[in-house]
Amino acid sequence: MRNSRREFLKTSALGLGVAGTTSFAAAESLGAVANFATPEGNQPSSDIAVWLTNSKQRHAAAQPIAWHPAPPPPPDTPPGVEPPPADTVRLIPSNKFQDILGFGGCFSDAACYVINQLQKPARDQLLHDLFHPSELGLSVNRTCVGSADSAAKLYSYDDGELDPDLKRFSIDHDREYILPILKQVREINPDVFYFSSPWSPPGWMKWNKSMLGGSMSRQYLASYAQYFLKFLQAYAAAGVPVQAITTQNEIDTDQHGQMPACTWSQECETEFITDHLGPLFEKTNTPTKIWILDHNFVYWGRVISQLDDPDFRRYANAVAWHAYTGDPSMASKVHAAHPEIEMHYTEGSTDYNDPHYQVDWTKWSTTYTAVLNNWCRSAVAWNMATDEKGKPNIGPYPCGGILIINPHTQEVIRSGQYWALAHYSRAIRRGRRFESQSQIPALSHLAVENPDGQKVLILTNTGAARTVQVIQGLSAATVPLEENSLATLVWE
């Protein structure tokens, strides 16, 4: 239920990459076994550049940290078996896992509307700051196929009475402020990856004849496949190619009819992709990928069951996850069953009226570390922005955004989620995750190697101030951490 989406994950649901764990979720499937006594391959060749977020700083550069010789293991320790010391994060760069695609947020109708309310110089500067590779560099971003709950009004691309041939189809609604912003972002960052999600098909395709709640009518599956194709073709013609689609946002809830939503049974979604959408994309040489589920980790069993069908798996190459119920380790169950399938974390929402809205960076960073340590290739927030009252919004929830934009004062407020994203998106450049290990309580850790060989370690300290030792091979570095803080470490 959507009510639970407003409650953040409990501590027990944060998956791997936290205290008492290693970050090699399902590493056994890769045969990765750590040998703590063996020096790890290449040694660091530069000091560590450091960026910090805490009660006094926001992604602020700190003094570089030098490496020093790592302490030897105790003399009575049998070779190859000693655990890492209690205050240590140990890195094993040779144990590599999934590629990282990137980070971002959703260009809902609401987000584009409020961004468009900024005067042009301020709008241009904000988009540069968010998306240019030299700045925040958000590179994986979501769009909505029709209206979501965060929208100024309820709309699809084919509203009205029955229209199975889609003669009315039009994306004209999006031409005013959605498509111009999406095009400008692509100009700022040509490597941006867009994926798109519908909250509901047009009402006439559903049993209740409304975009609010309800479920899909099977007799219109072929029309709905054409609806997707027309959307992709129209967006591409407008200069905004979309690289992936999810078949439905939150596929197993009708939201009590309070907002755009649609339930899909497993059988109906399977039939839609196997018999309609997949073959249509194949026939028309449509390169857009099909991602399934776009809902919570608790549905991992449904996902495995669908992917066990080779006809289904032929067309669906990725799973989209939300974390409102369940925990990220459930994604590792899917990876263990189908390691060839990509996974993405496609929505995480903050409330505009949450008293911790501007300071909850460790909450979000812990989530991002957990989903990435459980095989997700990207992490995407919900709204890019809302106004100071969480508007526009046609739904019942106080959804916020990465930013709050006051169209009257032109003020832009950055959330704790923004500062968490900054630690990931500024440093990680479509690299590859590698193994990190620690027994430190209340500390999350994520390690990634960028394409140029640069290494990145993100530490999330939800406990008291402490000092940790980072060890790579024969080298160690002493890293002080404030309470409730983030640290991004980067070195050659």
Side-chain angles (χ1 to χ4, degrees):
M1 293 178 61
R2 187 71 169 248
N3 287 342
S4 63
R5 88 182 248 158
R6 300 299 150 228
E7 299 175 3
F8 195 73
L9 297 172
K10 303 297 185 288
T11 302
S12 62
L14 290 174
L16 300 179
V18 294
T21 69
T22 68
S23 70
F24 60 83
E28 292 179 358
S29 67
L30 297 182
V33 180
N35 182 345
F36 299 115
T38 301
E40 171 55 35
N42 295 328
Q43 299 301 303
S45 61
S46 74
D47 288 347
I48 301 173
V50 182
W51 288 266
L52 302 174
T53 292
N54 51 50
S55 61
K56 299 177 181 178
Q57 300 169 293
R58 303 291 186 271
H59 197 266
Q63 287 295 318
I65 297 175
W67 294 93
H68 55 82
D76 57 347
T77 302
V81 297
E82 81 276 7
D87 66 345
T88 294
V89 177
R90 188 181 293 274
L91 306 176
I92 315 291
S94 60
N95 288 351
K96 292 182 170 62
F97 307 112
Q98 83 276 20
D99 292 334
I100 304 300
L101 183 62
F103 307 89
C106 183
F107 287 104
S108 64
D109 179 83
C112 293
Y113 179 86
V114 297
I115 291 171
N116 196 56
Q117 299 305 300
L118 288 172
Q119 296 175 7
K120 190 177 186 306
R123 182 170 69 245
D124 290 347
Q125 185 62 52
L126 177 64
L127 294 177
H128 176 85
D129 291 346
L130 288 173
F131 302 105
H132 196 276
S134 67
E135 301 296 338
L136 197 62
L138 298 178
S139 60
V140 178
N141 298 297
R142 192 184 192 194
T143 82
C144 303
V145 184
S147 70
D149 47 328
S150 290
K153 68 176 184 177
L154 183 68
Y155 68 94
S156 76
Y157 300 131
D158 196 328
D159 291 325
E161 299 302 316
L162 293 177
D163 183 24
D165 295 327
L166 304 177
K167 295 179 181 178
R168 279 192 310 259
F169 183 93
S170 172
I171 63 166
D172 282 351
H173 170 277
D174 295 2
R175 297 188 190 281
E176 181 179 356
Y177 49 80
I178 296 177
L179 283 166
I181 288 176
L182 297 178
K183 288 177 65 177
Q184 185 173 353
V185 168
R186 186 173 288 284
E187 291 168 359
I188 293 169
N189 183 358
D191 291 330
V192 69
F193 183 102
Y194 283 132
F195 71 95
S196 301
S197 308
W199 269 242
S200 173
W204 56 266
M205 292 187 183
K206 299 162 69 178
W207 289 109
N208 66 343
K209 304 304 178 185
S210 170
M211 290 181 68
L212 305 177
S215 60
M216 187 68 188
S217 176
R218 273 190 163 101
Q219 65 183 310
Y220 298 116
L221 292 180
S223 294
Y224 197 36
Q226 290 288 342
Y227 183 90
F228 272 103
L229 181 62
K230 284 180 174 289
F231 161 75
L232 294 170
Q233 291 173 338
Y235 258 52
V240 184
V242 173
Q243 286 93 339
I245 54 98
T246 71
T247 50
Q248 170 65 41
N249 174 71
E250 297 185 342
I251 206 161
D252 196 42
T253 178
D254 67 2
Q255 302 296 352
H256 306 291
Q258 300 177 93
M259 54 174 274
C262 183
T263 56
W264 287 72
S265 69
Q266 178 179 330
E267 293 79 7
C268 190
E269 185 193 22
T270 299
E271 178 184 347
F272 177 57
I273 290 174
T274 303
D275 297 345
H276 300 284
L277 189 63
L280 180 63
F281 280 11
E282 188 174 63
K283 178 181 177 181
T284 56
N285 294 315
T286 299
T288 304
K289 303 298 184 182
I290 299 171
W291 297 357
I292 62 170
L293 191 69
D294 215 0
H295 209 173
N296 292 320
F297 287 116
V298 291
Y299 297 107
W300 64 270
R302 166 176 170 157
V303 169
I304 291 177
S305 177
Q306 288 179 293
L307 294 174
D308 284 344
D309 179 350
D311 292 331
F312 180 86
R313 196 169 66 250
R314 172 183 175 183
Y315 298 117
N317 84 317
V319 184
W321 299 105
H322 299 184
Y324 300 117
T325 58
D327 70 83
S329 67
M330 295 172 176
S332 286
K333 297 177 183 290
V334 176
H335 175 82
H338 292 284
E340 76 283 2
I341 296 299
E342 296 180 7
M343 291 189 282
H344 302 268
Y345 173 67
T346 54
E347 183 182 309
S349 181
T350 189
D351 292 347
Y352 80 94
N353 57 359
D354 187 324
H356 304 294
Y357 174 84
Q358 295 186 55
V359 295
D360 59 357
W361 46 75
T362 56
K363 180 182 81 169
W364 288 109
S365 184
T366 302
T367 295
Y368 298 149
T369 284
V371 299
L372 293 167
N373 278 335
N374 283 278
W375 300 103
C376 288
R377 297 186 61 216
S378 64
V380 175
W382 179 204
N383 284 306
M384 285 287 185
T386 68
D387 72 12
E388 73 282 4
K389 297 181 179 179
K391 303 294 183 181
N393 191 340
I394 59 173
Y397 304 107
C399 298
I402 299 171
L403 306 171
I404 286 176
I405 296 175
N406 187 319
H408 305 293
T409 65
Q410 300 283 291
E411 181 184 14
V412 177
I413 298 173
R414 288 161 171 78
S415 65
Q417 192 174 27
Y418 171 94
W419 294 113
L421 281 169
H423 277 265
Y424 292 77
S425 63
R426 284 182 178 271
I428 296 173
R429 297 299 181 188
R430 293 189 172 162
R432 193 172 186 189
R433 181 172 69 90
F434 65 87
E435 186 173 349
S436 58
Q437 305 171 340
S438 183
Q439 299 293 323
I440 303 175
L443 183 78
S444 298
H445 45 93
L446 175 77
V448 173
E449 182 174 334
N450 282 332
D452 61 1
Q454 194 176 61
K455 293 178 177 60
V456 179
L457 176 64
I458 298 172
L459 300 175
T460 306
N461 181 32
T462 58
R466 67 179 89 206
T467 298
V468 303
Q469 299 294 317
V470 175
I471 295 180
Q472 180 186 329
L474 298 175
S475 299
T478 301
V479 181
L481 298 173
E482 299 288 335
E483 65 176 351
N484 190 42
S485 69
L486 308 183
T488 296
L489 313 179
V490 180
W491 68 98
E492 302 292 341

